[in-house]
Structures are given as structure tokens and as C-alpha cells.
Amino acid sequence: GGIITQTPKFLIGQEGQKLTLKCQQNFNHDTMYWYRQDSGKGLRLIYYSITENDLQKGDLSEGYDASREKKSSFSLTVTSAQKNEMAVFLCASTSGVSGNTLYFGEGSRLIVV
Amino acid sequence: GDSVTQTEGQVALSEEDFLTIHCNYSASGYPTLFWYVQYPGEGPQLLFRASRDKEKGSSRGFEATYDKGTTSFHLRKASVQESDSAVYYCALSDQGYQNFYFGKGTSLTVIP
């Protein structure tokens, strides 16, 4: 088995601030994802990466940057935090094999004051 | 593009009631279909999946059958328990195997 660790669990910042969320996985998975979770809106894809140094934009990438400097880690940066961006951010990974399972971390909650 | 539609946003049932959560999808070919469950404070976790037409997935008393004709993968359980209270997501993985599409989620509350 493996685990996905997201840090921090709660990230508090001020409006306009640049804030970074980190994700580590020990599954040795190739593909990693960042999703934003808002109540009643489901999970929306922000960025994903199919290998080290690769980045692919999802539907919600505007206002975010991502970085995949090594296979086991994937970070997400909110470039200028806004109060309407308060949500839970979920990191996930999969091996990329046909129909394989997506594994999630426990989530990081962004609070903008 | 590919998409998943869950009809019910919130469901409230009493213990031992029958549960149905409707899931319809739009995708070309044969996507893999999933049900995920998310408990408070945790990330979503796989309940089960199905990859072929007429395949039934099941776990913990929950089940769903892949129906390509009606493009559906409805979640059912014969007798729910309070511990089943959670958010349930229907999802699909496209044939490129990199993209996952999620429904908006259904919040299930089971009243003892």
C-alpha cells in the first residue's frame, strides 16, 4: 500500500497573497492531480502531471501554478488568493494504467482572510 | 467532452431504507466507471469500479451495473446504515486513461 500526504492541512492567508500547497505520494505513481472541491460542485481539475517536469492544465487552471520537480511530489500555488477561492484542495495519483484507481490525499483547506 | 451527471444532490433516508443514487455519463467508447465515497475529513476513496458493459461492481453492500445502452451506472444498496452517511461521487476515466471526470456528488444522510 501507499499514502498521499498533503501539507498543510489548513492554509490561512491574506487576500492577494501567494500560497503553496504540497503533496507527496509513495505509490511510485506516474500521474498526479490537483482538484478543487466546492460543496455542490464536485471535484474540478486544476492541473495534472503525467511525469516529472510535465504539467497539463485542467478546466480550472486560471489563477494557479503547479510544479512537479520529482516523481513523488506535486505542488500547487495560488498566485493571488481571493476570498471566493476558499475551498478544499485534493491531491491524487494513479499509475496511469488503463482504468486504474485514483488515490486521494485527505485534502487541504484554504482559508483567505 | 466527457461528463458525469448525478441527479441527487442530497438524500436523507432512515436506517434499513433502500438507496438509489442515479449516475449517467457521456463519453465515447468504453470508459471505466467508478463510485467513490468520501467521509468527513477524509479524501474520496474507491468504492468499486466497472470497465465493461453489463459488469457489476460491488462493495460493502453497495452495487452498480455498467449499462452502455442507457449510459448509466446507478448506485444501489438494499438497506442503508447510519455509518453509510457520506458523500458519494460517480466518476469516469476516459480511454486515454489520464483524465477522470466526476459528478457533483450526492450527500447521503442516514437517520437512525
Side-chain angles (χ1 to χ4, degrees):
Chain A
I3 191 168
I4 295 178
T5 303
Q6 292 187 232
T7 55
K9 196 167 179 65
F10 295 93
L11 181 56
I12 303 172
Q14 295 183 328
E15 273 199 305
Q17 194 174 0
K18 180 187 286 189
L19 301 168
T20 298
L21 301 168
K22 295 186 182 298
C23 176
Q24 295 266 353
Q25 54 96 1
N26 64 1
F27 288 99
N28 198 35
H29 284 165
D30 290 313
T31 308
M32 297 185 73
Y33 304 78
W34 276 107
Y35 286 93
R36 174 174 160 165
Q37 182 176 40
D38 296 275
S39 179
K41 294 184 180 178
L43 278 60
R44 293 182 288 175
L45 182 64
I46 305 172
Y47 269 97
Y48 71 100
S49 166
I50 61 174
T51 189
E52 187 177 320
N53 293 320
D54 173 76
L55 290 175
Q56 307 286 337
K57 291 183 178 181
D59 294 335
L60 214 62
S61 62
E62 188 170 335
Y64 301 94
D65 286 329
S67 174
R68 182 97 182 269
E69 294 177 350
K70 52 183 181 178
K71 186 175 183 178
S72 62
S73 68
F74 194 30
S75 62
L76 179 73
T77 297
V78 181
T79 56
S80 177
Q82 303 299 317
K83 287 192 175 178
N84 64 3
E85 280 181 302
M86 291 198 287
V88 173
F89 293 81
L90 291 164
C91 177
S93 71
T94 183
S95 68
V97 173
S98 165
N100 211 349
T101 301
L102 197 58
Y103 294 88
F104 285 89
E106 292 189 338
S108 295
R109 182 173 291 277
L110 175 65
I111 300 168
V112 183
V113 297
Chain B
D2 295 354
S3 66
V4 174
T5 301
Q6 285 179 244
T7 310
E8 297 87 357
Q10 293 187 316
V11 174
L13 296 172
S14 298
E15 279 195 321
E16 299 184 10
D17 280 352
F18 190 93
L19 169 71
T20 301
I21 298 176
H22 295 94
C23 172
N24 288 90
Y25 70 90
S26 173
S28 57
Y30 281 87
T32 298
L33 303 177
F34 305 80
W35 276 102
Y36 279 84
V37 58
Q38 184 178 26
Y39 300 102
E42 300 181 9
Q45 57 185 271
L46 179 69
L47 196 52
F48 54 79
R49 69 184 188 193
S51 302
R52 300 180 304 278
D53 190 22
K54 306 300 183 230
E55 181 180 355
K56 180 192 282 189
S58 64
S59 176
R60 309 183 213 173
F62 292 89
E63 62 179 39
T65 300
Y66 192 135
D67 190 330
K68 186 167 173 63
T70 59
T71 61
S72 66
F73 193 53
H74 304 318
L75 181 68
R76 294 186 168 93
K77 186 174 186 182
S79 176
V80 294
Q81 303 301 311
E82 187 180 4
S83 58
D84 294 326
S85 297
V87 178
Y88 293 81
Y89 289 98
C90 184
L92 71 82
S93 167
D94 66 11
Q95 289 192 297
Y97 317 129
Q98 302 296 347
N99 293 318
F100 291 77
Y101 300 89
F102 287 83
K104 293 186 177 182
T106 299
S107 178
L108 172 65
T109 302
V110 180
I111 304 160

